[in-house]
Amino acid sequence: MNNNAIKNRYDFVYLFDVKDGNPNGDPDQANLPRVDPENQEGLVTDVCIKRKVRNYVQLKHNLIPPFDIFIRQGNVLATIINNVEGNTPIDRQLKLCEKYYDIRAFGAVLSVGDKGAGTVRGPVQFTFARSEDRIYQAEHSITRLCVTTEKEAKAQEKRESASTFGRKATVPYALYRMHGFISATDAQKSGFSEKDLELLWEALINAFEHDRSAARGEMTFRKLFIFKHNSHLGNARSGQLFELINIDKLVDIPRCFNDYKIFVDREKLPDGVELIEV
């Protein structure tokens, strides 16, 4: 047993919104905001949110172990695994978990390279974030005065083209809801600790503060509802807990967070579960 690992199971509801931005472009649809094709509700992938968590941890700890980041630009994963000390895949796996925060949290496939280190199932898992309402995929024409090629420059001199045109896609406004799960049993295997847990909450709260870009518009963390179980196996089903957080819209077409009302049914909170609201 890993004595430093968390001892409690957690489930959580994470709310964030976007205004005049593209929270997660779909490469299969010309980078339009992701949607459920059946009902047009907006989607943001779990991978997208995990990336923001990784980026925040990297910014705060500057890739210094035990808060290095395994899945990041520039890393050659097979080379890293081959260079890890250990006679068995389990030995190498433990070394990697000790060094890299994102392996301890999210897990990783480590069965690459000449040696390999098996697979780690991370204790922290996210669902896709889904918008509370249908979204409108707005497309905008944008222009750029300068050009990129000599051919374009000559055309501009002849006044055949005054500028370069492009396209930009945004969501006017949407409130997104993501569910998350943290397993104490899997934390024992990866070594995910109370300090790691505190860093996860901090990263989720600040996920968008250091990830600004013109494409993403205004993205803002709104609420985090954390269900802490008294036991490592849990005291209630996650679905039962998520149903306690209800979001109602106050207007036909919401355009800000205050156009929604959030109701938390604390009276139905099961025994052995503590609700922490951030």
Coordinates of all heavy atoms in Angstrom, one line a residue, residues 6-13 182 194 197-198 201 225-236 241-242 269-277:
I6 N -4.0 9.2 -1.7 CA -5.3 9.6 -1.1 C -6.0 8.4 -0.6 O -5.9 7.3 -1.1 CB -6.1 10.4 -2.2 CG1 -6.5 9.6 -3.4 CG2 -5.4 11.7 -2.6 CD1 -7.5 10.2 -4.3
K7 N -6.8 8.7 0.4 CA -7.6 7.6 1.1 C -9.1 7.6 0.8 O -9.8 6.7 1.1 CB -7.4 7.7 2.6 CG -5.9 7.6 3.0 CD -5.2 6.4 2.7 CE -3.9 6.2 3.3 NZ -2.9 7.3 2.9
N8 N -9.5 8.7 0.1 CA -11.0 8.9 -0.1 C -11.3 8.9 -1.6 O -10.4 9.4 -2.4 CB -11.5 10.2 0.5 CG -11.2 10.3 2.0 OD1 -10.1 10.7 2.3 ND2 -12.1 10.0 2.8
R9 N -12.4 8.4 -2.0 CA -12.9 8.6 -3.3 C -13.6 9.9 -3.5 O -14.2 10.5 -2.6 CB -14.0 7.5 -3.6 CG -14.3 7.4 -5.1 CD -15.5 6.4 -5.3 NE -16.7 7.1 -5.8 CZ -17.8 6.5 -5.9 NH1 -18.0 5.2 -5.5 NH2 -18.9 7.1 -6.4
Y10 N -13.5 10.5 -4.7 CA -14.1 11.8 -5.0 C -14.8 11.7 -6.4 O -14.4 11.0 -7.3 CB -13.0 12.9 -5.2 CG -12.3 13.2 -3.9 CD1 -11.2 12.5 -3.5 CD2 -12.7 14.3 -3.1 CE1 -10.5 12.8 -2.3 CE2 -12.0 14.6 -1.9 CZ -10.9 13.9 -1.6 OH -10.2 14.2 -0.4
D11 N -15.9 12.4 -6.4 CA -16.6 12.7 -7.7 C -16.8 14.2 -7.7 O -17.0 14.9 -6.7 CB -18.0 12.0 -7.8 CG -17.8 10.5 -7.7 OD1 -17.2 9.9 -8.6 OD2 -18.4 9.9 -6.7
F12 N -16.8 14.8 -8.9 CA -17.0 16.2 -9.0 C -17.7 16.7 -10.2 O -17.7 16.0 -11.3 CB -15.7 16.9 -8.8 CG -14.6 16.7 -9.8 CD1 -14.5 17.5 -11.0 CD2 -13.7 15.6 -9.7 CE1 -13.5 17.2 -11.9 CE2 -12.8 15.3 -10.6 CZ -12.7 16.1 -11.8
V13 N -18.3 17.9 -10.1 CA -19.0 18.6 -11.3 C -18.2 19.9 -11.5 O -18.0 20.7 -10.6 CB -20.4 18.8 -11.0 CG1 -21.1 19.6 -12.1 CG2 -21.2 17.6 -10.7
I182 N -12.4 10.4 -9.2 CA -11.1 10.2 -8.6 C -11.1 8.9 -7.8 O -11.8 8.9 -6.7 CB -10.5 11.3 -7.8 CG1 -10.6 12.6 -8.6 CG2 -9.1 11.1 -7.3 CD1 -10.1 13.9 -7.9
E194 N -2.3 13.5 -1.6 CA -3.2 14.6 -1.2 C -2.6 15.9 -1.8 O -3.4 16.8 -2.2 CB -3.2 14.7 0.3 CG -4.0 13.6 1.0 CD -5.5 13.7 0.8 OE1 -6.0 14.7 0.4 OE2 -6.2 12.7 1.0
L197 N -3.7 16.0 -5.3 CA -5.1 16.3 -5.3 C -5.3 17.9 -5.2 O -6.1 18.4 -6.0 CB -5.9 15.6 -4.2 CG -7.4 15.8 -4.2 CD1 -8.0 15.3 -5.4 CD2 -8.0 15.2 -2.9
E198 N -4.6 18.5 -4.3 CA -4.8 19.9 -4.1 C -4.3 20.7 -5.4 O -4.9 21.7 -5.8 CB -3.9 20.4 -2.9 CG -4.4 19.9 -1.6 CD -3.5 20.3 -0.4 OE1 -2.6 21.1 -0.7 OE2 -3.7 19.9 0.7
W201 N -7.1 20.5 -8.1 CA -8.2 21.5 -7.9 C -7.7 22.8 -8.3 O -8.4 23.6 -9.0 CB -8.7 21.5 -6.4 CG -9.2 20.2 -5.8 CD1 -8.9 19.7 -4.6 CD2 -10.1 19.2 -6.4 NE1 -9.6 18.6 -4.4 CE2 -10.3 18.2 -5.5 CE3 -10.7 19.1 -7.7 CZ2 -11.1 17.1 -5.7 CZ3 -11.5 18.0 -7.9 CH2 -11.7 17.0 -7.0
F225 N -18.0 21.6 -7.8 CA -18.7 20.9 -6.8 C -18.0 19.5 -6.5 O -18.0 18.7 -7.4 CB -20.2 20.6 -7.1 CG -21.0 21.9 -7.3 CD1 -21.2 22.4 -8.6 CD2 -21.5 22.6 -6.3 CE1 -21.9 23.6 -8.8 CE2 -22.3 23.8 -6.4 CZ -22.4 24.3 -7.7
I226 N -17.4 19.4 -5.3 CA -16.6 18.2 -5.0 C -17.4 17.3 -4.0 O -17.7 17.8 -2.9 CB -15.3 18.6 -4.4 CG1 -14.5 19.5 -5.4 CG2 -14.4 17.4 -4.1 CD1 -13.3 20.2 -4.8
F227 N -17.6 16.1 -4.4 CA -18.2 15.1 -3.5 C -17.1 14.2 -2.9 O -16.5 13.5 -3.6 CB -19.3 14.3 -4.2 CG -20.4 15.0 -4.7 CD1 -20.5 15.4 -6.1 CD2 -21.5 15.3 -3.9 CE1 -21.6 16.1 -6.5 CE2 -22.6 16.0 -4.4 CZ -22.6 16.4 -5.7
K228 N -16.9 14.4 -1.6 CA -15.8 13.6 -0.9 C -16.5 12.5 -0.1 O -17.3 12.7 0.7 CB -15.0 14.5 0.0 CG -13.9 13.8 0.8 CD -13.1 14.7 1.7 CE -12.0 14.0 2.4 NZ -11.3 14.9 3.3
H229 N -16.1 11.3 -0.5 CA -16.6 10.1 0.2 C -15.8 9.8 1.4 O -14.6 10.0 1.5 CB -16.6 8.9 -0.7 CG -17.4 9.0 -2.0 ND1 -18.6 8.4 -2.2 CD2 -17.2 9.8 -3.1 CE1 -19.1 8.7 -3.4 NE2 -18.3 9.6 -3.9
N230 N -16.4 9.2 2.5 CA -15.7 8.9 3.7 C -14.8 7.6 3.5 O -13.9 7.4 4.3 CB -16.7 8.6 4.8 CG -17.3 9.9 5.4 OD1 -16.8 11.0 5.1 ND2 -18.3 9.8 6.2
S231 N -15.1 6.9 2.5 CA -14.4 5.6 2.3 C -13.6 5.6 1.0 O -13.9 6.4 0.1 CB -15.3 4.4 2.4 OG -16.1 4.4 1.2
H232 N -12.7 4.7 0.8 CA -12.0 4.6 -0.4 C -12.8 4.0 -1.6 O -12.6 4.3 -2.7 CB -10.7 3.7 -0.2 CG -10.9 2.3 0.0 ND1 -11.5 1.8 1.2 CD2 -10.7 1.2 -0.8 CE1 -11.6 0.5 1.1 NE2 -11.1 0.1 -0.1
L233 N -13.8 3.2 -1.2 CA -14.7 2.6 -2.2 C -15.9 3.6 -2.6 O -16.5 3.4 -3.7 CB -15.2 1.3 -1.8 CG -14.2 0.1 -1.7 CD1 -14.9 -1.1 -1.2 CD2 -13.6 -0.1 -3.1
G234 N -16.2 4.5 -1.7 CA -17.3 5.4 -2.0 C -18.5 5.0 -1.2 O -18.7 3.9 -0.8
N235 N -19.4 6.0 -0.9 CA -20.6 5.9 -0.1 C -21.9 6.1 -0.9 O -23.0 6.0 -0.3 CB -20.6 6.8 1.1 CG -19.4 6.6 2.0 OD1 -18.3 7.1 1.7 ND2 -19.6 5.9 3.1
A236 N -21.7 6.4 -2.2 CA -22.9 6.5 -3.0 C -22.4 6.4 -4.5 O -21.2 6.6 -4.8 CB -23.6 7.9 -2.8
L241 N -25.1 11.3 -7.2 CA -24.5 12.6 -6.7 C -24.7 13.7 -7.7 O -25.0 14.8 -7.4 CB -23.1 12.4 -6.2 CG -22.9 11.4 -5.1 CD1 -21.4 11.2 -4.9 CD2 -23.6 11.8 -3.9
F242 N -24.4 13.4 -9.0 CA -24.4 14.4 -10.0 C -25.8 14.9 -10.2 O -26.0 16.1 -10.6 CB -23.9 13.8 -11.3 CG -22.5 13.4 -11.3 CD1 -22.0 12.3 -12.1 CD2 -21.5 14.0 -10.5 CE1 -20.7 11.9 -12.1 CE2 -20.2 13.7 -10.5 CZ -19.8 12.6 -11.3
L269 N -28.3 14.7 0.1 CA -26.9 14.2 0.1 C -26.8 13.0 0.9 O -27.2 13.0 2.1 CB -26.0 15.3 0.7 CG -24.5 15.2 0.6 CD1 -24.1 15.2 -0.9 CD2 -23.8 16.2 1.4
P270 N -26.3 11.9 0.4 CA -26.2 10.6 1.1 C -25.3 10.7 2.3 O -24.4 11.5 2.4 CB -25.7 9.6 0.1 CG -25.9 10.3 -1.2 CD -25.8 11.7 -1.0
D271 N -25.6 9.8 3.3 CA -24.7 9.7 4.4 C -23.3 9.3 4.0 O -23.2 8.5 3.1 CB -25.2 8.7 5.4 CG -26.5 9.2 6.1 OD1 -26.8 10.4 6.1 OD2 -27.3 8.3 6.5
G272 N -22.3 9.8 4.6 CA -20.9 9.5 4.3 C -20.3 10.2 3.2 O -19.2 9.9 2.7
V273 N -21.0 11.2 2.6 CA -20.5 12.0 1.5 C -20.6 13.5 1.9 O -21.6 14.0 2.4 CB -21.4 11.8 0.2 CG1 -20.8 12.7 -0.9 CG2 -21.4 10.4 -0.2
E274 N -19.5 14.2 1.8 CA -19.4 15.6 2.0 C -19.3 16.4 0.7 O -18.6 16.0 -0.2 CB -18.1 15.9 2.9 CG -17.9 17.4 3.1 CD -16.5 17.7 3.8 OE1 -15.7 16.7 4.0 OE2 -16.2 18.8 4.0
L275 N -20.1 17.5 0.7 CA -20.1 18.3 -0.6 C -19.3 19.6 -0.3 O -19.6 20.4 0.6 CB -21.6 18.7 -0.9 CG -21.7 19.6 -2.1 CD1 -21.0 19.1 -3.4 CD2 -23.2 19.9 -2.4
I276 N -18.3 19.8 -1.1 CA -17.5 21.0 -1.0 C -17.7 21.8 -2.3 O -17.6 21.3 -3.4 CB -16.0 20.6 -0.9 CG1 -15.7 19.7 0.3 CG2 -15.1 21.9 -0.8 CD1 -14.4 19.0 0.3
E277 N -18.1 23.1 -2.1 CA -18.4 24.0 -3.2 C -17.3 25.0 -3.4 O -17.0 25.7 -2.4 CB -19.8 24.6 -3.0 CG -20.2 25.5 -4.2 CD -21.6 26.0 -4.0 OE1 -22.4 25.5 -3.1 OE2 -22.0 27.0 -4.6

